Amino acid sequence: MTVLFYPSTIDYIFMTKQRILTGITTTGTPHLGNYVGAIRPAISAIGEESESFYFLADYHGIIKCHDPERISRSTLEIAATWLACGLDPEKAHFYRQSDVPEIMELTWILNCVCTKGLMNRGHAYKASVAENEEKGQADLDHGITMGLFSYPVLMTADILMFNATQVPVGRDQIQHIEMARDIAQKFNHAFTDVFSLPEAIVDEETELLQGLDGRKMSKSYNNTIPLFEPEKKLRKLIMKIKTNSQEPGEPKDTSDSTLFHMYQAFASADEVAAIEQRYADGIAWGEMKQVLFEKINQEIAPMREQYEQLMARPDYIEDILHAGAERIRPMSKALLADVRHAVGVRRLGA
Ligand code: TRP
């Protein structure tokens, strides 16, 4: 059975269609690691058998970034990226968190069932405390905002708002999905069964694209290749990828080669086998870099063109996001109505 209209609480119990949901924090510019690890698999997961919810988590963005230009620029860049990469807003729910105000209301209600102790165990919070400790700060909570402390509750509201069943995330987010399950259970137990329990989906294979220096590609290591860098710059960055000092003609090992690792993320099994042979035959690093550049660029170039066109039309993107939110708000409104009723925030006499 599939639910065509927004489900009421009772419909959720019979709902069989999987709901895949994931959010992207709007603080940066998408890079190749995001593309391979998150964007490409998410877009290819869109299909008939499941319902996909992909959204721009702008209220998560402002937790650590107090640069408004950056938040707004990043929101535009990320939206344009997903559309350029082929996300069809007719086939997936594509929206901006702040366009669904019910999420904020739900966050507050969930804050009232989530214990502080659960948040004390959050790894982002604990990392900030450890940093203060290292710096010899007398107040271990120095500079830690309530937003940072309680952000797993906001993430829980994102997920429970649409009763997502599966949440594709990076390994570092698994703990937050467990917290979401915890909070959902607490609510169901204290009031009434409103929420289904989400499951984290971690794709081990595509998870870690290496960056320029061979470590995981990540903004915090400053080793990223922005996804839609102009062609010339893309080539330049690829030429900078770290290799060892082996000479042309020397047989090379694929297992510790960032170039090979990246190539694998873009090539077919046959192409990978052919490159393995060329490593054994001693391909020169310079040549391998050229091969890699061409492979990546072949996939990216048509999307880059789309991206540039989309970036020039922010109003068009605004309309898509807005329409995406309006299409799902009947669901969030219905769920929030159930939740409010469950906790006793309801029409007098009802
Ligand atoms: N916190 C997530 C991250 O940093 C982004 C996010 C926000 C999210 N809300 C979500 C991911 C809900 C999955 C589901 O990656």
Side-chain angles (χ1 to χ4, degrees), residues 240-272:
K240 275 199 199 162
I241 294 171
K242 204 170 125 192
T243 62
N244 62 26
S245 54
Q246 282 184 295
E247 298 289 333
E250 275 186 73
K252 297 178 174 66
D253 192 2
T254 52
S255 65
D256 63 353
S257 165
T258 300
L259 296 173
F260 178 77
H261 178 89
M262 274 196 185
Y263 187 80
Q264 257 183 324
F266 288 88
S268 68
D270 284 353
E271 289 169 327
V272 171

Side-chain angles (χ1 to χ4, degrees), residues 119-135:
M119 294 298 100
N120 284 342
R121 294 194 282 279
H123 64 70
Y125 170 64
K126 277 177 34 183
S128 300
V129 170
E131 218 174 279
N132 278 334
E133 207 163 8
E134 242 164 63
K135 284 190 204 141

Side-chain angles (χ1 to χ4, degrees), residues 21-25 55 57 60 97 151 154-156 158-159 167-170 172-173 176-177:
L21 175 145
T22 199
I24 313 103
T25 305
F55 70 96
H60 282 269
Q97 184 183 38
Y151 108 77
L154 175 56
M155 189 162 157
T156 299
D158 291 330
I159 296 168
V167 187
V169 282
D172 60 321
Q173 297 291 318
H176 299 147
I177 310 304

Side-chain angles (χ1 to χ4, degrees), residues 281-325:
D281 295 344
I283 187 173
W285 290 132
E287 195 178 341
M288 182 56 203
K289 286 179 173 176
Q290 183 59 30
V291 169
L292 177 64
F293 163 72
E294 273 158 23
K295 190 81 227 149
I296 295 180
N297 196 48
Q298 182 192 3
E299 184 166 327
I300 300 299
M303 302 191 281
R304 184 193 295 120
E305 211 181 303
Q306 281 283 321
Y307 176 77
E308 279 159 11
Q309 288 176 15
L310 286 161
M311 285 299 286
R313 299 175 65 196
D315 290 346
Y316 171 73
I317 295 181
E318 186 65 48
D319 289 348
I320 290 179
L321 291 177
H322 198 71

Side-chain angles (χ1 to χ4, degrees), residues 17-258:
K17 221 178 188 185
Q18 301 277 26
R19 289 189 159 188
I20 307 174
L21 175 145
T22 199
I24 313 103
T25 305
T26 56
T27 46
T29 299
H31 57 66
L32 278 181
N34 300 138
Y35 172 71
V36 168
I39 304 171
R40 194 174 60 184
I43 291 175
S44 65
I46 298 171
E48 299 292 320
E49 324 73 53
S50 57
E51 203 176 348
S52 301
F53 295 73
Y54 299 144
F55 70 96
L56 306 164
D58 51 351
Y59 279 136
H60 282 269
I62 63 172
I63 291 171
K64 279 201 195 154
C65 171
H66 294 173
D67 173 353
E69 293 315 316
R70 176 150 185 194
I71 295 287
S72 128
R73 172 86 189 169
S74 169
T75 307
L76 174 64
E77 286 177 350
I78 295 172
T81 297
W82 283 69
L83 293 169
C85 290
L87 178 130
D88 177 350
E90 295 300 320
K91 297 209 171 106
H93 300 297
F94 188 53
Y95 57 101
R96 178 170 44 195
Q97 184 183 38
S98 59
D99 286 337
V100 183
E102 291 76 27
I103 295 172
M104 289 301 115
E105 284 190 59
L106 181 58
T107 301
W108 176 254
I109 296 172
L110 296 178
N111 261 314
C112 297
V113 294
C114 174
T115 61
K116 175 171 177 288
L118 185 65
M119 294 298 100
N120 284 342
R121 294 194 282 279
H123 64 70
Y125 170 64
K126 277 177 34 183
S128 300
V129 170
E131 218 174 279
N132 278 334
E133 207 163 8
E134 242 164 63
K135 284 190 204 141
Q137 268 290 347
D139 175 8
L140 293 183
D141 283 329
H142 178 79
I144 298 174
T145 64
M146 285 305 292
L148 179 81
F149 181 66
S150 64
Y151 108 77
V153 183
L154 175 56
M155 189 162 157
T156 299
D158 291 330
I159 296 168
L160 301 187
M161 187 88 259
F162 298 105
N163 265 314
T165 52
Q166 280 155 329
V167 187
V169 282
R171 193 170 296 280
D172 60 321
Q173 297 291 318
I174 296 176
Q175 185 194 36
H176 299 147
I177 310 304
E178 280 161 7
M179 289 171 161
R181 292 172 68 91
D182 241 52
I183 296 170
Q185 269 171 319
K186 272 227 173 78
F187 185 98
N188 288 349
H189 181 72
F191 301 103
T192 177
D193 267 345
V194 176
F195 299 121
S196 39
L197 305 186
E199 217 178 277
I201 306 289
V202 181
D203 185 344
E204 316 237 334
E205 235 176 74
T206 54
E207 218 203 339
L208 297 180
L209 191 72
Q210 294 173 6
L212 296 174
D213 57 359
R215 291 187 290 175
K216 172 190 169 175
M217 189 178 288
S218 161
K219 213 174 37 180
S220 37
Y221 293 147
N222 206 10
N223 65 355
T224 67
I225 300 179
L227 178 55
F228 293 130
E229 210 63 318
E231 198 167 301
K232 266 194 188 153
K233 267 189 124 176
L234 174 66
R235 181 194 300 265
K236 240 189 186 163
L237 282 171
I238 289 175
M239 294 301 153
K240 275 199 199 162
I241 294 171
K242 204 170 125 192
T243 62
N244 62 26
S245 54
Q246 282 184 295
E247 298 289 333
E250 275 186 73
K252 297 178 174 66
D253 192 2
T254 52
S255 65
D256 63 353
S257 165
T258 300

